[in-house]
Amino acid sequence: MSLQIKETQDSYDVIIVGSGAGGGMASKILSEAGLSVAVVEAGGDFDPAKEEDRTQLRPPWESPRRGAGTEIRPFGDFDQAIGGWEIEGEPYTRKDGTQFDWFRSRMVGGRTNHWGRISLRFGPNDFKRASIDGFGHDWPIGYEDLKPYYDKVDKLIGVFGSKEGIFNEPDGFFLPPPKPRLHELFIKRGADKAGIPMIPGRLSMLTRPINAERGVCFFCNQCNRACQAYADFSSGTCLIHPAMKKGKVDLYTYSMVRKVTTDETGKANGVSFVSKIDRKEYKLKSRVVVLGASACESARILMNSKSKAHPDGIGADSGVLGRYLHDSTGADRMGILPDLIDRDRYNEDGVGGMHMYTPWWKDNKKLDFARGYHIEYWGGMGQPAYGAGGSMDSMRKYLKDEFGNPSPNGGYGTGLKKDIRRIYGSTLGMSGRGESIPQLSNYCEIDPNVVDTYGIPVLRFHYKWTDQEIKQAKHMQDTFEEILTQAGATLLGSKPGPESMYGLAGPGRIIHEVGTTRMSNDPKSGVVSSDCQVHACKNLFIVDAGPFVSQADKNPTWTILALSWRTSDYIIEQLKQKNI
Amino acid sequence: MNRRENLKLLFAGSIGAGLLLGCEPEQVKLKGAVIGTPGGRTEEEKVRDAKLLAERFFTEDELKKISNLVDLIMPADEQSPAATTLGVPNFIEFMMKDQPSMQTPMRGGLMWLDFESEEKFGKLFNSLETAQVLEIVDLVAWPEKATEAYQGGVRWFNMLRNLTCSGYFSTQEGWKYMGYQGNVPNVWDGVPAAVLTKHGLANPDKYAGVYLKTEERSKIAVWDETGNLIG
């Protein structure tokens, strides 16, 4: 991580706050149109192709904690995403005993360094849920508006998959998918018996090259460590850095934006930010400001952008700023497959994610909850690191000797060592990721009593799941048991019941939070228009997942990218027409 | 000197702190060596790793108990070395500082060993004969056989077993024993045919023409207007 303050011009055509999927795409499209761009990022820069930044292919013994997670790398010591649910000096609070955990990545590329690269388009139904089930609201745009942009994103960034012709899982421009792993074939056998579809995964890794700038996947399973061949998508390697090479793009790192500054008419004229290095306040000027700081962070910036023209912050007059915050639902289950005990060894790394998954397959009209979920599968002969050989105090009994007698749990010695080798690669499981229903009563707001280390007021969250999400989680648990059992697996642990909301993950834990600056053509029910233009401030735009009216049972990144491209095109056109 | 040897040296005794401060002859060799995890570290991470590596948590007495126990949990056999040979005590020492919530239960468990040894044999744990050590360990090593009175000890031994296995299998020797073959650039072309046959499984026919053809891996993808891959 390089530490430096950039000495550059202080006036730009466009300032983009945040360098994740939304900010990255905007920086590319706007700079290619010849505009001068400043990208303001709260964390540092890095390049996985440089040896000093590389964590890919490092064995665990290079880490004194053997790859265990730390507070700022909760997904492991070699994970490239720096940040986590708790960041020192950058707190947030919760209200009324409710729960929300806010995951942030402070670095170039933001959370595109973290995500599983599951790259699913929203389908036609996903934009019109209220018309289908009566809950929440429709988007003011539809699939047909985003389709051309999804197509362009596929070709620019690359995603593997298979053409399936499923109405609400639109096909794209796919690279060839990798063949399944062994546990995925076992699960497929179970899913077939249960009548549940399983299709090749749709992940943004280059199984074949798409241009001369990025390399091709060499199957190390470590996309979360950032690829030195740039064969997976992250905003830094695929958008920000290329934009900096080709266009007029300046990157301001370790720069924490306090507010959008406005003139006396209420128009945005730049941002005010704190340098984390010298802890001094700086101002940048621009004709247009684009927020891509993440749904909650962008909402926070708007709320803190108070002025004479915007006494309660920008967009607060909509009445929905910070409201309709929603995350995906999540629940998991695990099993052990006796057929995989004593399994043959070979390199099973594959890509950094599942080679097969299950898209939502049911009709909600026949169910007691309104929205669907997809299923992600995991298992296999992963890299032994921190945690390897663990839990033999409860797992060893699943090993049987030649006479069928189970090993005793726990123990020590060569027998234990052999049992660990026998059981390796035999556990597997699945995770449901579903759509929740956005609620006015789930929100973030400014906590009047708490500031961060830069003196910026922080967010306070209020979030509760409803019966809809709880019933969905129950359905997930029933489905998981059925698939695992049909696949021949022995279920591990006990089935989560009502006492734990059927294992439903806490809000924020799936890291898909969206909706805080939602889109509506009515300024009284949305912060931004259908072009992601802030109603109350026409030269201010939002390109993260804040404008999502509803989060489908898909991962949000592909839609953030498509929307950001569309918004960027709109900005270019509006500048040309001198409307902003 | 490789990094693992550095770590060993650092934990070898009180000279560890001196090495970091640079007042021993070995200092020259340490210069430029990576202290802590390499690759894209923040300044805070570098400082924290260096600090944790310089600190000592276990006393000599505790380290002796740990060394004894980890070799009992993962002993040498004809195919693999003992846990102490792979530096497992040093790893556990580091984890105590990295995840301080483990300190009290670990220290408590090690204290209990002396209490139990005194009760049973009238001497401290580190002075026991092998058979006596096993007698103590057997009280807590088998969760389902252990009596109610020893459940606290069982939890401690579970933690020690887990840490020992983590430290053992996250090494080059551990990988070799486990038969792990990954973490190298390769081309995935599905589960080996013999393995598929053994389990009576096959790749779905439906996607035979869709899956990655490894010989096309270097060809830049080209699509027609409707998204069919044509080149």
Side-chain angles (χ1 to χ4, degrees):
Chain A
M1 291 271 152
S2 56
L3 269 163
Q4 54 177 343
I5 297 180
K6 252 199 156 111
E7 296 292 338
T8 46
Q9 65 191 91
D10 58 2
S11 182
Y12 295 86
D13 291 324
V14 187
I15 293 168
I16 299 170
V17 182
S19 64
M25 183 58 87
S27 74
K28 179 182 159 60
I29 303 305
L30 296 173
S31 66
E32 281 178 358
L35 299 169
S36 65
V37 173
V39 177
V40 187
E41 165 55 48
D45 195 8
F46 80 105
D47 179 354
K50 284 188 186 152
E51 183 58 16
E52 72 255 33
D53 287 336
R54 178 181 66 86
T55 61
Q56 192 181 31
L57 294 180
R58 289 194 187 279
W61 52 87
E62 290 190 24
S63 155
R65 55 184 67 75
R66 306 291 168 84
T70 60
E71 186 168 84
I72 76 162
R73 297 183 201 257
F75 292 91
D77 203 19
F78 292 113
D79 196 89
Q80 198 60 256
I82 296 165
W85 278 285
E86 305 295 336
I87 298 177
E88 210 181 311
E90 301 183 34
Y92 55 90
T93 61
R94 303 172 181 91
K95 204 177 171 185
D96 303 334
T98 67
Q99 188 190 358
F100 188 84
D101 296 330
W102 188 21
F103 186 96
R104 293 162 285 178
S105 292
R106 294 292 191 225
M107 60 196 308
V108 164
R111 289 183 293 187
T112 63
N113 294 295
H114 152 77
W115 70 308
R117 288 155 180 92
I118 301 169
S119 303
L120 306 172
R121 296 177 178 212
F122 284 16
N125 293 346
D126 294 325
F127 295 91
K128 305 293 168 198
R129 286 290 169 199
S131 298
I132 294 168
D133 60 31
F135 293 102
H137 299 87
D138 288 348
W139 290 55
I141 59 172
Y143 177 68
E144 63 285 359
D145 296 301
L146 271 194
K147 182 188 182 297
Y149 290 97
Y150 281 129
D151 288 353
K152 291 203 276 189
V153 171
D154 286 358
K155 289 185 223 172
L156 173 73
I157 288 170
V159 50
F160 67 72
S162 56
K163 294 186 92 169
E164 300 284 339
I166 305 169
F167 177 73
N168 201 44
E169 313 291 332
D171 297 327
F173 291 73
F174 291 130
L175 295 166
K179 288 175 187 164
R181 299 184 180 92
L182 189 57
H183 67 273
E184 291 165 331
L185 289 171
F186 270 103
I187 294 170
K188 171 91 166 58
R189 194 153 78 179
D192 283 350
K193 284 186 201 162
I196 294 166
M198 255 177 96
I199 64 173
R202 295 178 172 183
L203 278 67
S204 50
M205 295 128 195
L206 303 184
T207 51
R208 282 181 54 188
I210 52 166
N211 57 36
E213 281 80 54
R214 291 172 57 200
V216 71
C217 177
F218 53 82
F219 304 101
C220 75
N221 194 272
Q222 296 170 9
C223 300
N224 67 318
R225 299 187 184 194
C227 185
Q228 52 194 312
Y230 306 149
D232 63 354
F233 171 67
S234 71
S235 180
T237 54
C238 301
L239 297 170
I240 297 277
H241 291 154
M244 288 171 73
K245 266 183 209 142
K246 273 170 79 178
K248 290 177 280 183
V249 179
D250 287 336
L251 175 64
Y252 290 74
T253 53
Y254 299 104
S255 301
M256 184 77 188
V257 170
R258 178 186 302 278
K259 63 188 289 187
V260 175
T261 54
T262 48
D263 63 18
E264 60 285 356
T265 68
K267 260 185 81 176
N269 58 13
V271 298
S272 188
F273 70 86
V274 184
S275 162
K276 291 187 175 181
I277 297 161
D278 62 9
R279 297 184 60 87
K280 286 185 179 143
E281 195 85 20
Y282 291 84
K283 284 192 167 48
L284 281 178
K285 295 285 174 197
S286 65
R287 296 158 66 196
V288 172
V289 176
V290 172
L291 297 180
S294 85
C296 294
E297 196 71 68
S298 290
R300 178 186 176 202
I301 292 170
L302 289 179
M303 292 173 197
N304 281 325
S305 298
K306 291 180 181 169
S307 64
K308 257 187 193 157
H310 303 283
D312 300 315
I314 301 172
D317 52 346
S318 68
V320 295
L321 177 59
R323 299 267 161 183
Y324 297 106
L325 166 66
H326 59 296
D327 188 17
S328 295
T329 58
D332 320 288
R333 193 71 198 271
M334 192 171 174
I336 181 167
L337 197 62
D339 285 345
L340 288 179
I341 289 169
D342 293 319
R343 62 184 296 186
D344 294 317
R345 303 299 205 253
Y346 53 90
N347 184 340
E348 201 189 27
D349 285 348
V351 304
M354 66 210 179
H355 292 188
M356 297 195 81
Y357 88 113
T358 293
W360 178 237
W361 70 103
K362 289 270 196 196
D363 178 359
N364 287 95
K365 287 197 182 82
K366 296 171 187 159
L367 298 165
D368 64 351
F369 58 95
R371 310 272 166 100
Y373 57 89
H374 73 256
I375 310 175
E376 304 172 7
Y377 300 101
W378 33 272
M381 296 186 282
Q383 183 179 106
Y386 186 82
S391 302
M392 291 304 274
D393 51 284
S394 60
M395 294 293 293
R396 203 178 170 191
K397 67 174 178 209
Y398 295 105
L399 292 156
K400 295 194 173 72
D401 65 18
E402 54 195 312
F403 308 108
N405 302 312
S407 292
N409 274 333
Y412 53 84
T414 49
L416 173 69
K417 203 197 272 183
K418 280 183 186 144
D419 276 356
I420 289 171
R421 183 165 61 182
R422 294 186 62 206
I423 204 171
Y424 170 64
S426 63
T427 52
L428 72 184
M430 55 196 70
S431 303
R433 297 287 181 257
E435 179 171 4
S436 64
I437 295 179
Q439 308 288 337
L440 182 72
S441 56
N442 286 339
Y443 58 89
C444 56
E445 63 183 2
I446 295 298
D447 186 326
N449 304 313
V450 184
V451 295
D452 66 13
T453 181
Y454 312 108
I456 307 172
V458 308
L459 288 179
R460 179 167 68 184
F461 292 91
H462 178 280
Y463 198 119
K464 280 181 178 171
W465 290 127
T466 71
D467 273 356
Q468 291 286 342
E469 291 80 34
I470 296 166
K471 283 177 185 163
Q472 189 192 62
K474 180 177 188 297
H475 192 271
M476 288 186 196
Q477 296 297 350
D478 293 341
T479 304
F480 299 163
E481 279 207 358
E482 192 180 3
I483 296 175
L484 281 167
T485 308
Q486 295 281 13
T490 306
L491 297 162
L492 292 174
S494 54
K495 187 177 185 177
E499 71 293 339
S500 70
M501 297 192 207
Y502 304 94
L504 178 60
R509 279 281 144 182
I510 308 302
I511 321 180
H512 291 169
E513 73 275 5
V514 308
T516 47
T517 57
R518 73 170 192 168
M519 184 192 277
S520 168
N521 284 328
D522 172 9
K524 288 290 156 202
S525 68
V527 175
V528 300
S529 72
S530 56
D531 294 305
C532 296
Q533 182 175 33
V534 175
H535 286 300
C537 185
K538 299 290 184 202
N539 61 341
L540 178 57
F541 297 84
I542 302 183
V543 294
D544 50 40
F548 285 28
V549 178
S550 57
Q551 155 65 349
D553 58 67
K554 322 279 169 69
N555 305 56
T557 305
W558 227 239
T559 302
I560 295 174
L561 290 165
L563 258 186
S564 176
W565 196 328
R566 182 172 174 271
T567 303
S568 301
D569 278 357
Y570 180 76
I571 292 170
I572 294 162
E573 188 203 306
Q574 292 296 299
L575 282 170
K576 267 188 204 151
Q577 294 177 5
K578 301 200 182 337
N579 288 337
I580 51 173
Chain B
M1 194 199 297
N2 70 25
R3 227 182 67 77
R4 192 132 45 89
E5 283 163 343
N6 281 339
L7 289 180
K8 268 190 209 161
L9 246 180
L10 282 171
F11 292 122
S14 54
I15 60 156
L19 272 177
L20 269 184
L21 297 171
C23 51
E24 293 287 330
E26 278 85 349
Q27 137 194 47
V28 187
K29 291 180 190 168
L30 262 175
K31 247 188 193 166
V34 181
I35 305 286
T37 308
R41 297 299 106 173
T42 65
E43 290 309 307
E44 292 79 1
E45 285 179 300
K46 288 177 198 165
V47 168
R48 183 165 179 269
D49 275 8
K51 177 174 163 283
L52 297 189
L53 285 164
E55 284 171 3
R56 281 291 300 268
F57 174 71
F58 288 129
T59 63
E60 288 298 328
D61 183 61
E62 287 170 330
L63 206 55
K64 199 175 165 204
K65 288 175 182 165
I66 291 273
S67 299
N68 242 322
L69 291 167
V70 298
D71 277 354
L72 200 64
I73 294 170
M74 286 290 128
D77 56 30
E78 59 284 3
Q79 291 174 356
S80 53
T84 48
T85 313
L86 298 185
V88 170
N90 297 345
F91 161 72
I92 296 177
E93 157 78 28
F94 182 84
M95 291 315 297
M96 291 301 114
K97 296 166 300 201
D98 196 41
Q99 298 184 14
S101 62
M102 290 197 276
Q103 289 180 2
T104 301
M106 179 57 77
R107 186 150 267 162
L110 295 172
M111 289 279 310
W112 165 80
L113 287 174
D114 280 339
F115 167 79
E116 199 68 34
S117 304
E118 290 264 25
E119 290 274 301
K120 284 213 156 48
F121 309 110
K123 47 187 177 177
L124 296 174
F125 182 78
N126 279 337
S127 309
L128 298 184
E129 309 291 325
T130 308
Q132 295 171 323
V133 166
L134 289 179
E135 203 178 319
I136 300 277
V137 167
D138 279 332
L139 294 170
V140 294
W142 310 93
E144 268 121 50
K145 284 185 216 156
T147 61
E148 192 53 41
Y150 288 107
Q151 286 307 318
V154 166
R155 279 193 291 278
W156 162 71
F157 197 79
N158 287 345
M159 175 171 82
L160 181 65
R161 186 193 298 105
N162 283 339
L163 282 166
T164 303
C165 293
S166 272
Y168 192 90
F169 293 105
S170 59
T171 61
Q172 217 153 5
E173 288 289 341
W175 279 14
K176 202 174 123 197
Y177 180 84
M178 201 73 110
Y180 174 66
Q181 296 180 19
N183 202 47
V184 290
N186 72 104
V187 182
W188 170 258
D189 192 26
V191 178
V195 178
L196 286 178
T197 309
K198 179 177 166 184
H199 292 288
L201 291 164
N203 293 313
D205 282 341
K206 187 181 170 188
Y207 300 109
V210 179
Y211 287 130
L212 173 66
K213 293 170 193 63
T214 57
E215 65 277 12
E216 291 179 0
R217 261 179 95 235
S218 51
K219 244 172 80 184
I220 291 183
V222 184
W223 297 270
D224 70 11
E225 280 167 19
T226 55
N228 296 305
L229 204 52
I230 52 170

